[in-house]
Amino acid sequence: MGTESWEVLVHRKQLKAAAKIPSKWRIPEELTKISETSGMNVLDVPRQSGVLSERQLVITENHDATDLLCKIHRQELSAYEVTEAFCIRAAIAQQVTRCLTEAFFERALQRAKDLDEILSKTGELVGPLYGLPISFKDCFNIIGVPSTIGFTSFIKNDPLSSTSPAVQVLLNLGTIQYVKTNVPQTIMAADSHNYVFGRTLNPH
């Protein structure tokens, strides 16, 4: 049995990544026809796609992190609905810019649900950043999630068995991890481009 080529491994990895986006979060095909040379501005795609509700658009467009935390802590917004809105927005962004390396939406939504239940039962916030969705670059380790940092030779590696200290600190403060984002191969350039996930496109 011959060794699989890196192209085959990359193709399989990208198919697995695409499969993590639920069908109800997929945008119309005509909105995904972009390339490195198209010059297409996709900033309005989240609104044009019809995937996000008006409330979800407000959550993801009209509030900074401080404002979101205030609303979550006052229970004007739940951690679950904020996390769901950002998961959907990230899924849309992935379809037009190739910005994600790993998505773990179900895991994020379960954590948000658990945090909301703790707040409901105890009235206590799990940390000052309770309920805030946060993404990490692919170079940060998250237990149970793969990390290639753009190396095709890392594709076959098992999901990580440990979490980076910086990630753990933010987790302890109450954040919700939901995606990892693309990086330059080896983190040695300014442009997020590698042979595993391709080039992340400018949305403008």
Side-chain angles (χ1 to χ4, degrees), residues 40-48 61 89 96-97 202-204:
M40 180 179 175
N41 186 315
V42 297
L43 290 176
D44 291 332
V45 166
R47 186 171 290 276
Q48 294 170 348
E61 292 180 355
R89 188 119 190 170
V96 292
T97 66
N202 189 326
H204 293 272

Side-chain angles (χ1 to χ4, degrees), residues 12-141:
R12 187 181 301 138
K13 177 74 172 176
Q14 292 180 352
L15 286 177
K16 287 179 66 176
K20 292 178 181 178
I21 298 177
S23 58
K24 62 183 178 180
W25 295 356
R26 295 191 180 278
I27 63 177
E29 186 177 352
E30 62 268 21
L31 296 177
T32 67
K33 294 179 178 179
I34 59 170
S35 69
E36 295 179 23
T37 59
S38 68
M40 180 179 175
N41 186 315
V42 297
L43 290 176
D44 291 332
V45 166
R47 186 171 290 276
Q48 294 170 348
S49 69
V51 176
L52 287 156
S53 68
E54 187 59 37
R55 183 174 175 85
Q56 289 168 335
L57 286 167
V58 169
I59 289 172
T60 56
E61 292 180 355
N62 293 10
H63 305 292
D64 60 18
T66 301
D67 194 25
L68 275 177
L69 283 171
C70 287
K71 290 184 176 298
I72 295 170
H73 293 180
R74 292 198 298 260
Q75 299 185 58
E76 296 173 16
L77 295 170
S78 69
Y80 187 93
E81 66 178 325
V82 171
T83 300
E84 182 180 46
F86 276 91
C87 284
I88 297 172
R89 188 119 190 170
I92 293 171
Q94 168 66 2
Q95 294 171 76
V96 292
T97 66
R98 297 195 299 258
C99 57
L100 305 183
T101 60
E102 303 293 339
F104 29 100
F105 300 132
E106 290 184 6
R107 173 171 162 174
L109 291 170
Q110 184 59 55
R111 173 164 167 79
K113 182 179 179 181
D114 292 343
L115 290 176
D116 282 337
E117 288 180 356
I118 292 172
L119 179 59
S120 176
K121 291 177 180 178
T122 69
E124 298 292 330
L125 298 173
V126 181
L129 300 183
Y130 164 89
L132 184 69
I134 187 168
S135 64
F136 289 91
K137 301 301 286 184
D138 195 61
C139 53
F140 286 95
N141 291 354

Side-chain angles (χ1 to χ4, degrees), residues 149-173:
I149 58 172
F151 280 113
T152 58
S153 59
F154 287 0
I155 291 175
K156 285 189 172 183
N157 289 358
D158 292 332
L160 296 163
S161 59
S162 63
T163 292
S164 296
V167 176
Q168 189 61 54
V169 167
L170 288 166
L171 188 65
N172 294 344
L173 291 173

